[in-house]
Amino acid sequence: VLAAAALIERLRSLNLRILLTSGTVTSAAIVAKRFPPDIIHQYVPWDSPRYVARFLDHWRPSLALFIESDLWPNLILQASSRRLPMVLINGRMSPRSFPRWRRARNTISALLSQFEACLAQSGADAERFAALGARNVIVTGNLKLDVPAPPADPAKLEKLMAMTRGRPVIGAASTPPGEEEILIATHRTLAGFFPGLLTVIVPRHPDRGNSVAGLVAASGLRFTQRSREELPAANSDIYIADTLGELGLFFRLADIVVMGGSFVSGIGGHNPLEPARVGRPILAGPHVHNAAELYAEMQADACAIEAADGAALARHIRGLLDHPMIARRMGEAAAAYAGKQGATLDRALALLDPLLPA
């Protein structure tokens, strides 16, 4: 949903009516918070012919955009039978998915061949889609690279800055189960070297806030919790930011950002460009296959560091806190790198233009 945000806003500016479908309660909440009310959100219909037919009969769309690799067979085939133009945007075919689809090439080819065009994130993605039967495959780049810095309410940010002024702050973004323990241990390792150290943990799913609080309490560290409308206290070791849509606040509050989803396997890391756009040095674990090329480029540009495990994470954070000039230069390099990304949205819109309703 967030990857498509800029595209949705540009299409809306053309006076087009937008119906946005997604499959989770969290995404629905993000739509309600992130977009104006004229962006209509619906849960994607259960992919059976009966329900898909009712969905299409009711909404009667003029153009259908499918994002990344979200391919619903009955929805695609029924849309095609109604001569509804379809485009796959921000197309992504991972190295792990490709061999599985290649074994079912007839099936995937029957779906991909229905699209007017396939706008792929990278040359490698384009090659995989073409090999599986997609037509008119064009590399436009990754829409996620065009996502602006997440917004932050100035009054809320000022209040948080006032409460933490003079304290070193580590921000851990979008953490899944298994990573909070690593961050708690990292905090305990570093607290003796940096008095007043504050670690902000932003769980990937806010409803895990109480679970994270239980882990912190069991460790003996002190914490406050944002969902309870608490601010970081002077003696707080951990601040649990278990609210939705406020990540921009904590990217700006932190001196160093640790990207979650990268220290446990199975998730593949999250987009590091958001903290990069606000000029923060970035650390991540070894499991970043969802954005491997991006992380590799940022490491080469000295604006991101890979930490192999919790011990390495503590060591790298200590180095950056001991040498704030290096941390600042890393943040500046991150902002410069993020500033060079873009133009994906313009390329995608230019290719979509002939298919847009008048």
Side-chain angles (χ1 to χ4, degrees):
V1 168
L2 291 175
L7 176 63
I8 290 167
E9 287 166 354
R10 289 280 288 274
L11 292 172
R12 179 176 177 269
S13 73
L14 299 175
N15 209 26
L16 297 173
R17 297 193 66 195
I18 310 295
L19 170 68
L20 176 60
T21 63
S22 67
T24 67
V25 173
T26 301
S27 62
I30 289 173
V31 173
K33 191 175 183 71
R34 176 72 173 75
F35 295 108
D38 58 287
I39 301 293
I40 304 167
H41 176 268
Q42 293 281 283
Y43 289 107
V44 67
W46 186 261
D47 198 55
S48 76
R50 175 186 172 191
Y51 302 131
V52 166
R54 287 173 57 186
F55 178 84
L56 292 175
D57 286 342
H58 179 79
W59 292 106
R60 301 175 63 188
S62 305
L63 173 66
L65 306 180
F66 289 71
I67 302 173
E68 295 197 354
S69 55
D70 212 11
L71 305 176
W72 298 96
N74 284 297
L75 187 57
I76 291 169
L77 295 175
Q78 287 215 29
S80 177
S81 71
R82 296 166 186 241
R83 301 186 182 280
L84 171 61
M86 294 178 287
V87 179
L88 182 63
I89 61 171
N90 216 40
R92 177 173 170 269
M93 177 63 63
S94 74
R96 291 195 297 177
S97 297
F98 179 60
R100 293 198 295 268
W101 277 120
R102 191 162 50 182
R103 289 194 292 271
R105 192 181 186 285
N106 290 341
T107 300
I108 189 64
S109 178
L111 297 178
L112 291 175
S113 63
Q114 307 303 320
F115 288 94
E116 302 289 328
C118 172
L119 310 186
Q121 292 186 17
S122 69
D125 291 309
E127 289 176 7
R128 294 177 192 126
F129 277 114
L132 294 174
R135 57 194 178 95
N136 197 18
V137 182
I138 304 163
V139 179
T140 51
N142 190 342
L143 283 172
K144 289 181 179 177
L145 303 188
D146 267 357
V147 174
D153 183 293
K156 292 180 180 178
L157 179 59
E158 178 54 39
K159 186 177 290 187
L160 285 165
M161 296 284 280
M163 296 295 294
T164 59
R165 193 159 285 128
R167 302 179 65 179
V169 179
I170 303 165
S174 300
T175 59
E179 285 190 344
E180 289 90 8
E181 293 90 338
I182 295 172
L183 292 159
I184 290 167
T186 297
H187 183 97
R188 294 179 71 90
T189 298
L190 296 172
F193 300 101
F194 303 101
L197 178 68
L198 177 67
T199 297
V200 179
I201 297 177
V202 187
R204 176 71 169 169
H205 298 290
D207 59 6
R208 292 188 54 247
N210 289 336
S211 173
V212 176
L215 292 172
V216 179
S219 75
L221 295 177
R222 292 160 296 197
F223 69 93
T224 48
Q225 199 168 339
R226 190 159 183 82
S227 63
R228 297 179 180 176
E229 300 185 357
E230 298 170 344
L231 292 169
N235 65 348
S236 296
D237 300 301
I238 307 288
Y239 187 49
I240 302 167
D242 53 343
T243 52
L244 194 65
E246 292 194 312
L247 198 52
L249 280 176
F250 302 106
F251 283 150
R252 291 167 174 82
L253 182 69
D255 300 300
I256 298 164
V257 170
V258 179
M259 292 304 296
S262 62
F263 287 92
V264 295
S265 61
I267 295 173
H270 300 302
N271 185 359
L273 282 178
E274 291 184 331
R277 290 194 188 281
V278 298
R280 295 299 180 265
I282 297 158
L283 287 90
H287 303 290
V288 293
H289 59 262
N290 281 345
E293 293 178 15
L294 184 57
Y295 276 99
E297 288 180 0
M298 293 182 73
Q299 289 170 31
D301 278 15
C303 50
I305 297 172
E306 178 185 311
D309 52 27
L313 177 65
R315 187 167 63 251
H316 289 306
I317 291 176
R318 181 179 177 183
L320 291 173
L321 292 178
D322 274 334
H323 300 93
M325 179 69 74
I326 294 174
R328 188 169 76 246
R329 287 176 179 168
M330 273 188 68
E332 291 169 352
Y337 177 86
K340 291 186 292 186
Q341 311 307 310
T344 300
L345 182 57
D346 290 335
R347 287 192 291 269
L349 279 167
L351 292 165
L352 291 175
D353 186 66
L355 297 171
L356 295 178

